[in-house]
Amino acid sequence: MITSYHVHSNYSDGESTVLEIVSAAAEQGLDEIGISDHLVYPKPGRHVSWSMSVDRLGSYFEELHNVQRVVGDRIKVRLGLECDYEPETVVLLADLLQRYPLDYTIGSVHFLGNFPIDESPEHWDNLKEEDRNNIVRGYWQRIRELAESRLFNIVGHMDLYKKFGWRPSIDLEAEISEALDAISAAGMVVEVNTAGLTKPAREIYPSKKILEMSQARDIPLIITADAHKASGLTDGYQIAKDLLDSLGYSRNVIFSSRTPKMLSGI
Ligand SMILES: [Zn+2]
Ligand SMILES: [Zn+2]
C-alpha cells in the first residue's frame, strides 16, 4: 500500500492541477492520493500568499469530487487540508471545517505569533541564540495545544524549525514528550515528511530520535512527501521506508471521513 497524503495543488502553493496530480499518482501505481492544500485561517493585518482563501473551499472540494469521477476506480482520492493551528483562530477554523466532507486534516505550525518558522533563513539569522531556543520551546507547546484541540488527524512536519539547518542548543525532551503524549491521547498520526531531505536540514521531519519517542507511545506513522508538483509525490519515499524499517515500524494508515484505519505492512 503506497499513499501520498501531503500534497499541494495550485489551489494553494503547488504547481500542478488536481487532475495532473491524481493522474500522475494513478500512473505511478499509488493506492491512494490525498490532496491537502494550505488553509491558514485569516487574521486581520496578515496576508499569507501560499494559503487558499476561505471562499475557495467550496470549489476546491467540488474539484476533488469531479476528479475522482474522472479517474473512476483507477485510484482513490482522499479529501484533505493542511491547516495552521493558531490559538486565536482555532474555534473559527473548527466551525469552518465541519461544513466540508474532509477525509483528514493535517495540523501544522508555520507561525509562532507573527514569527514565520519556515519562510526564510534571515528571520532566524536576525535572532540571538537564546531567542531562537525560546521560539522552539514555544513551538513544541504549540504542537501540544494543536493535539489537544482534537481538530486534526495528522501532525505536520513536526520539527520544521530545523529547515534552514539550525538546531536548538537546549534540551527540549520534556516539551517534546508532552507534545507526543497529547498526540497519542488524541489518536493522531505523525507524518514522516521527506521534504526536509532537500532543504539545508538534510533530514526527514521529524528526526529519528523524535520518531523513536513516537514509537514508544505507539503513535502511528505515515510517509508523506509534502509534494508541490505532480512529479514529486513519492520523493524520498525509499529513504523514509528504510528509516521506518530501521525502527522496526511496519504499519500503514489511511483516512476516510476523518477516521484513521490501520493496516499492517507499509
Ligand atoms: Zn506545511
Ligand atoms: Zn505542506
Side-chain angles (χ1 to χ4, degrees), residues 6 8 38 82 108 110 118 157 160 226:
H6 190 153
H8 300 281
H38 285 291
E82 180 184 13
S108 295
H110 298 102
D118 66 331
H157 40 59
L160 180 66
D226 210 339

Side-chain angles (χ1 to χ4, degrees), residues 1-7 16-35 67-68 71 73-78 227 229-234:
M1 171 68 102
I2 297 183
T3 66
S4 189
Y5 265 79
H6 190 153
V7 181
S16 311
T17 65
V18 173
L19 182 59
E20 286 167 347
I21 292 164
V22 172
S23 303
E27 275 160 31
Q28 288 170 42
L30 269 63
D31 297 285
E32 295 200 352
I33 179 75
I35 309 293
V67 168
Q68 177 72 85
V71 297
D73 57 7
R74 290 168 64 208
I75 188 165
K76 183 71 195 165
V77 180
R78 296 293 183 186
K229 55 185 179 208
S231 59
L233 301 175
T234 54

Side-chain angles (χ1 to χ4, degrees), residues 7 19 42 58 91 117 120 124 141 150 207 230 243 257-258:
V7 181
L19 182 59
V91 173
I117 304 283
S120 117
W124 292 94
Q141 288 163 357
R150 304 280 167 121
S207 66
L243 175 61
S257 303
R258 302 182 73 174

